[in-house]
Amino acid sequence: MRHLLGLFILITILSFSCTTEDTNAWRGLEIPAHFPDPVFQVIVSEKGFELGRKLFYDPILSRDNTISCGSCHIQGSAFSHHGHDVSHGIDDRLGSRNAPAVQNMIWNSSFFWDGGVSHIDLISVSPIQNELEMDESFVNVIRKLNLKEDYRKLFKEVFGTDSVSGAYFLTAMSQFMSMLVTADSRYDRYVLGDATALDAVELEGKQLFEQKCASCHVGVLQSDFSFRNNGLKSEPFRDGGRYHVSLIESDKGKFKVPSLRNVAITAPYMHDGSLRTLESVLAHYALGVQKSSTLDPELEKNGVIGIPMSTEERTAIIRFLHTLTDDKFIRDPRFSEP
Ligand code: HEC
Ligand code: HEC
């Protein structure tokens, strides 16, 4: 009897601790207390999010059903394509740009390196139709999804429709991407009041970063989401960047200032993936900035090109950049392939 009672208590304790520690439990979209208001208000339901998650990992979105969004945006590297300078798409075709991290999307005012997409709901159309990425027509994706009974059933459950529509497909994708919030790095813990979260060198790096980098990489998201030329190339630019969208001559060679969250695990760097390590990024800003007619004025102050930094200063900044890694985010079971 005592044994049975003990077993009963043990089971109760175990099932209790399981429910309280269940990281899979639905919590909805949470806006971190120390973040600004998001640019996009996306209403997320659990079923809508789960549908978006299934779609994100489903190669049915590509022409030959081999490539999913998750093939290039890998959770373990904060949904970037770690190790690939430019992305490898369908038939192993090479793109011309590096796949950025998909994280904290609702705080971005536009998407892609050139800001070519200005609404979160429209993101998925580009990779699907891009001939170097998924090379499929949007209409055909919707047709293929409609042929699948499980998808028809899921869309009915989430949106109450009898068929899969393009608009609801895009809404489901936004619901998944909106949930990809990363805000739990050591840096965040420091910002939220834990003075011990960063060591002395990291704190020195944070200060240097705020002096030397935060005119563009500003605030808790390390970006003002503007378009700027940080001096990777001089004219003629191989990739016109923002110019492709605005057709304004003075936008040539400008790209979206990226957030630096999880930057230690998203190498290689820059729109073209041309810098392989954080050491080479810092060496670029200190010694490698190229002069051109659209070079950002922040990188050409008082006739000095680039950002003067000693080797120690660069090391401290790199140490700080490592504190932006959010291990929970890259292991969060809610975001993995279902
Ligand atoms: C073949 C690799 C590949 C596939 C497949 C792919 N992407 Fe991308 N993704 C990229 C590249 C490369 C970029 C940068 C392109 C650019 O800026 O011109 C990008 C950019 C993005 C961005 C912009 C992020 C930002 O900071 O602005 C989002 C969001 C995104 N992709 C989501 C998706 C979704 C959703 C899918 C599936 C429908 C998808 N991607 C499929 C390679 C890929
Ligand atoms: C004048 C604005 C500006 C300043 C100042 C600046 N950056 Fe950048 N940074 C950018 C832009 C724009 C990009 C994207 C450029 C591209 O890909 O063509 C970028 C890209 C990066 C990247 C690559 C991120 C990725 O995901 O590929 C890192 C890392 C980075 N910057 C770190 C720093 C550090 C560290 C400093 C200070 C030493 C700094 N930046 C100063 C504008 C700036």
Side-chain angles (χ1 to χ4, degrees):
M1 196 54 205
R2 279 189 45 196
H3 276 96
L4 269 182
L5 189 64
L7 191 65
F8 178 71
I9 291 171
L10 186 68
I11 289 174
T12 321
I13 292 170
L14 276 179
S15 52
F16 242 94
S17 59
C18 281
T19 41
T20 47
E21 279 172 24
D22 185 0
T23 46
N24 273 314
W26 176 247
R27 303 198 298 271
L29 177 55
E30 296 166 322
I31 306 298
H34 57 305
F35 272 32
D37 287 338
V39 178
F40 293 98
Q41 312 285 338
V42 179
I43 296 163
V44 185
S45 69
E46 179 171 11
K47 284 193 166 148
F49 160 78
E50 286 298 344
L51 174 56
R53 176 183 176 191
K54 182 172 158 72
L55 290 164
F56 188 88
Y57 286 104
D58 195 334
I60 195 171
L61 304 191
S62 65
R63 175 179 36 83
D64 60 1
N65 306 318
T66 58
I67 303 232
S68 73
C69 310
S71 314
C72 296
H73 298 286
I74 297 158
Q75 183 179 12
S77 39
F79 298 96
S80 71
H81 208 181
H82 177 76
H84 292 254
D85 48 358
V86 293
S87 62
H88 293 232
I90 203 157
D91 304 334
D92 220 18
R93 290 179 200 169
L94 288 184
S96 60
R97 290 186 184 161
N98 180 250
V102 179
Q103 56 185 4
N104 299 336
M105 282 293 113
I106 54 176
W107 285 273
N108 279 244
S109 38
S110 68
F111 305 93
F112 300 100
W113 283 107
D114 54 16
V117 167
S118 53
H119 197 286
I120 191 167
D121 283 347
L122 298 177
I123 288 174
S124 302
V125 181
S126 317
I128 289 173
Q129 305 214 126
N130 185 320
E131 58 186 29
L132 303 174
E133 291 177 5
M134 302 173 112
D135 196 28
E136 176 61 292
S137 82
F138 187 65
V139 175
N140 203 42
V141 167
I142 304 304
R143 192 188 64 81
K144 287 194 291 187
L145 292 173
N146 264 307
L147 294 173
K148 295 258 182 180
E149 183 160 0
D150 58 336
Y151 273 119
R152 284 205 310 274
K153 218 176 120 225
L154 288 169
F155 273 81
K156 175 139 192 137
E157 269 174 42
V158 178
F159 301 110
T161 46
D162 286 322
S163 60
V164 177
S165 76
Y168 285 135
F169 164 80
L170 293 172
T171 307
M173 295 300 290
S174 291
Q175 291 197 31
F176 176 69
M177 284 189 272
S178 304
M179 286 286 291
L180 302 177
V181 175
T182 160
D184 195 13
S185 62
R186 284 201 288 123
Y187 161 77
D188 293 290
R189 271 167 252 158
Y190 181 84
V191 171
L192 288 167
D194 177 0
T196 63
L198 304 185
D199 70 23
V201 180
E202 290 162 349
L203 275 176
E204 191 200 325
K206 179 173 174 288
Q207 250 166 37
L208 288 164
F209 180 84
E210 280 156 9
Q211 279 162 27
K212 294 176 186 287
C213 317
S215 49
C216 304
H217 296 285
V218 50
V220 290
L221 293 153
Q222 301 89 42
S223 179
D224 61 1
F225 301 107
S226 61
F227 300 92
R228 299 176 186 248
N229 175 351
N230 71 343
L232 293 172
K233 298 262 154 41
S234 54
E235 286 120 330
F237 301 112
R238 206 174 337 131
D239 186 334
R242 183 64 179 162
Y243 170 77
H244 289 306
V245 178
S246 69
L247 300 179
I248 298 170
E249 201 67 24
S250 59
D251 277 344
K252 279 192 174 161
K254 295 188 180 172
F255 294 87
K256 184 168 80 172
V257 176
S259 170
L260 300 180
R261 286 185 167 270
N262 294 305
V263 72
I265 54 169
T266 62
Y269 303 109
M270 308 298 169
H271 72 274
D272 54 1
S274 57
L275 300 178
R276 297 190 177 273
T277 60
L278 287 175
E279 284 73 16
S280 52
V281 169
L282 270 294
H284 160 73
Y285 283 113
L287 309 160
V289 170
Q290 305 291 306
K291 205 173 151 50
S292 69
S293 63
T294 62
L295 177 63
D296 198 276
E298 289 292 332
L299 296 170
E300 197 177 356
K301 280 192 188 152
N302 312 319
V304 179
I305 305 257
I307 305 175
M309 285 176 282
S310 69
T311 325
E312 291 74 33
E313 288 176 323
R314 286 192 247 160
T315 308
I317 292 177
I318 292 172
R319 284 282 309 279
F320 167 67
L321 294 175
H322 275 85
T323 71
L324 299 171
T325 305
D326 177 351
D327 291 315
K328 262 202 214 138
F329 175 67
I330 60 174
R331 292 206 196 96
D332 195 324
R334 295 175 301 163
F335 306 146
S336 62
E337 184 162 0

